Amino acid sequence: MSTHAPQASGAPQTARLVAQPATLDDAVAALVATPAAVPVAGGTDLMAGVNAGLLRPAALVSLGRLGELRGWEYQDGHALLGACLTHARMSRPDFAALIPALAAAARSAGPPQVRNAGTLGGNIITAAPSGDTLPVLAALEATLLVAGPEGQGRQIPVSSLLAGMDRLHPAELLAHVRVPLLHAPQTFLKATARSGPGRALASVALVLDPIRREVRCAVGGVAPMPLRPLDAERWVAALVDWDGEHGRALAPEALTAFGDYVGLACVPDPQPGEAPLPAAVLHVRRTVATLARRGLGRALR
């Protein structure tokens, strides 16, 4: 996990490791003592930026010893996930039973060496459009718990951070991610340019919330942040027989209409007088529609 890494400029320099804290409080203290330092856990995104010449951090604070951020616990109907939880750990069956869509996203995050090192917090803080866990967290309406010099009380809706409406303050660290345990079907589907784990061209997370009688959908890879097609969510939720004794499955026509609704919401038609959408953009829209249709169909089985 890393954040606030400075952009490359001027002469090359080698980042120095200024601290390897054993507790969260020590990590915050290290960031207070060295304001230019960048916290790092897995380092997959940070090192990619360094190797590409885009980032040049002056100093690093390693989070590798913070065992308190590498697991999860139950809290009032929620799962409290440590920010240093790796993709590989989230891929395991016990976690998949807890939050299946997040486990599916973690499994697709890249090759084994990336999944073994990359962390949930790093995925969130880097906030790359192709971040696999981000649409799942958006659909689950997760909350970020932040630790800083003023303590660990600050909470940020994940959508607010991803949209840039709220940011980490100096010396703050993302400590935990609070996710509601819905005990209902949820899916994550992803399309890539090649077979096997790779960067998402588009991804869709579908979450059913039978208590609130909601269908929540988030689309990743097509915009700087995950998109929530709220009108499509409300439309299809009204069609679901939430109390059905024989399941909640919808007719194929309804699933297709939902997929088209989501695709059009995320990749809208041009305004009058604008040029038609390029073929590549239309392909993305069709991909989103297909993922949304399939994801909802699997969730409603």
Side-chain angles (χ1 to χ4, degrees):
M1 180 173 62
S2 59
T3 183
H4 302 313
Q7 300 296 314
S9 62
Q13 57 182 329
T14 301
R16 58 193 178 91
L17 182 65
V18 296
Q20 290 183 290
T23 69
L24 188 57
D25 289 343
D26 289 345
V28 171
L31 293 175
V32 171
T34 310
V38 175
V40 58
T44 53
D45 292 317
L46 177 67
M47 291 312 301
V50 169
N51 292 337
L54 302 175
L55 301 176
R56 194 169 295 143
L60 301 174
V61 171
S62 172
L63 307 181
R65 294 182 178 178
L66 300 186
E68 61 192 293
L69 302 188
R70 291 192 171 274
W72 69 83
E73 61 184 81
Y74 301 100
Q75 184 185 81
D76 300 327
H78 291 71
L80 200 62
L81 312 179
C84 293
L85 199 59
T86 65
H87 295 296
R89 185 65 190 89
M90 291 187 290
S91 301
R92 296 182 187 176
D94 58 341
F95 190 91
L98 190 72
I99 313 173
L102 195 54
R107 286 193 293 269
S108 73
Q113 60 269 30
V114 170
R115 297 197 303 273
N116 288 335
T119 63
L120 177 63
N123 217 199
I124 295 168
I125 295 300
T126 301
S130 57
D132 291 307
T133 67
L134 304 184
V136 179
L137 296 173
L140 289 168
E141 298 182 344
T143 301
L144 310 179
L145 277 60
V146 174
E150 304 302 321
Q152 300 183 42
R154 203 159 81 89
Q155 300 186 20
I156 306 173
V158 68
S159 58
S160 295
L161 184 120
L162 297 178
M165 299 166 59
D166 202 341
R167 299 180 183 274
L168 295 188
H169 301 158
E172 283 191 332
L173 278 171
L174 172 57
H176 294 92
V177 181
R178 195 167 185 259
V179 177
L181 296 177
L182 300 177
H183 305 294
Q186 48 187 253
T187 60
F188 172 81
L189 295 176
K190 169 181 170 179
T192 65
R194 57 184 177 84
S195 60
R199 188 173 297 275
L201 294 177
S203 60
V204 173
L206 256 299
V207 172
L208 301 186
D209 187 341
I211 301 300
R212 294 162 59 179
R213 301 198 170 203
E214 291 180 349
V215 174
R216 296 205 290 273
C217 173
V219 178
V222 301
M225 60 172 288
L227 301 178
R228 288 280 303 277
L230 299 178
D231 288 342
E233 292 179 2
R234 288 189 286 265
W235 175 79
V236 79
L239 299 180
V240 175
D241 182 4
W242 294 100
D243 299 318
E245 296 181 1
H246 304 290
R248 302 170 179 147
L250 294 177
E253 296 81 4
L255 293 175
T256 298
F258 172 72
D260 292 342
Y261 204 160
V262 173
L264 187 61
C266 295
V267 186
D269 285 329
Q271 297 296 316
E274 295 180 346
L277 295 178
V281 176
L282 291 173
H283 173 68
V284 171
R285 177 195 283 176
R286 290 192 295 270
T287 300
V288 170
T290 298
L291 294 177
R293 171 177 56 81
R294 291 178 179 173
L296 180 60
R298 293 181 186 181
L300 291 173
R301 284 177 185 168

